Amino acid sequence: MRKVSLLAVIAVACVVIFDATAFAQSANPAVGTWKLNVAKSKYVAGTPNKSGTTKIESAGAGIKVTVDSVGGDGTKRHWTYTANTDGKDAPITGNNPYGDVVAMTRVNANTTRQIYKSHGKVTTTQTSAVSADGKTRTVTTKGTDARGQAIDSVAVYDKQ
């Protein structure tokens, strides 16, 4: 009888831990597919994008980000990274205009800050905030791109 009770307790504990982990990951308001709303986006410096889609997925304790965009000059870009919100550099694969690594930190439940670097030098700081209703994501980017051109923009994304 004692062995059965111990096994039952272990099984229940595993279910509770699994459910809590799944809930914590799904509770991230940034997870989902986001489409750039060009009309609502503003560019003080830098070339506005013609289009853009960002897919954010849960990945362990962090997120996996995949970006596809078309710049104002027609340049198609695709890049991806997987990062935790621990402020540690994570490699970027693809043709990211900001650099080759990103370090992400959590500001609050709906906001993260990304620091992009190119060859060890900080290029841009980006703040990504999801609205309270979860339908809009606003990404503020300041700094320079990997070519040294100034960037100062507010891109607005709609959840798909």
Side-chain angles (χ1 to χ4, degrees):
M1 188 72 147
R2 189 169 192 213
K3 283 185 179 181
V4 172
S5 298
L6 181 59
L7 289 175
V9 168
I10 291 171
V12 169
C14 289
V15 169
V16 168
I17 290 169
F18 175 76
D19 285 348
T21 301
F23 175 76
Q25 289 179 349
S26 66
N28 184 339
V31 170
T33 301
W34 301 89
K35 185 175 179 183
L36 179 66
N37 186 325
V38 176
K40 290 183 179 178
S41 299
K42 306 214 180 323
Y43 292 80
V44 175
T47 306
N49 284 335
K50 290 181 180 178
S51 66
T53 302
T54 303
K55 183 177 181 183
I56 301 173
E57 304 169 87
S58 292
I63 58 173
K64 177 182 179 185
V65 177
T66 304
V67 178
D68 289 290
S69 65
V70 178
D73 60 358
T75 302
K76 291 183 180 181
R77 297 198 177 275
H78 172 83
W79 74 87
T80 187
Y81 65 84
T82 301
N84 295 330
T85 55
D86 58 7
K88 294 181 181 175
D89 288 350
I92 299 170
T93 59
N95 59 346
N96 180 304
Y98 310 128
D100 50 18
V101 297
V102 62
M104 186 170 55
T105 56
R106 179 154 304 283
V107 175
N108 60 42
N110 289 4
T111 308
T112 58
R113 181 164 295 118
Q114 292 74 235
I115 306 292
Y116 290 91
K117 300 174 189 173
S118 179
H119 306 290
K121 180 183 174 195
V122 172
T123 56
T124 57
T125 299
Q126 195 172 70
T127 304
S128 177
V130 177
S131 62
D133 66 6
K135 295 180 181 179
T136 305
R137 188 171 141 260
T138 303
V139 179
T140 304
T141 306
K142 293 183 186 271
T144 58
D145 64 18
R147 295 176 295 178
Q149 296 178 330
I151 299 173
D152 185 357
S153 66
V154 178
V156 178
Y157 291 82
D158 298 319
K159 192 157 195 180
Q160 300 301 292

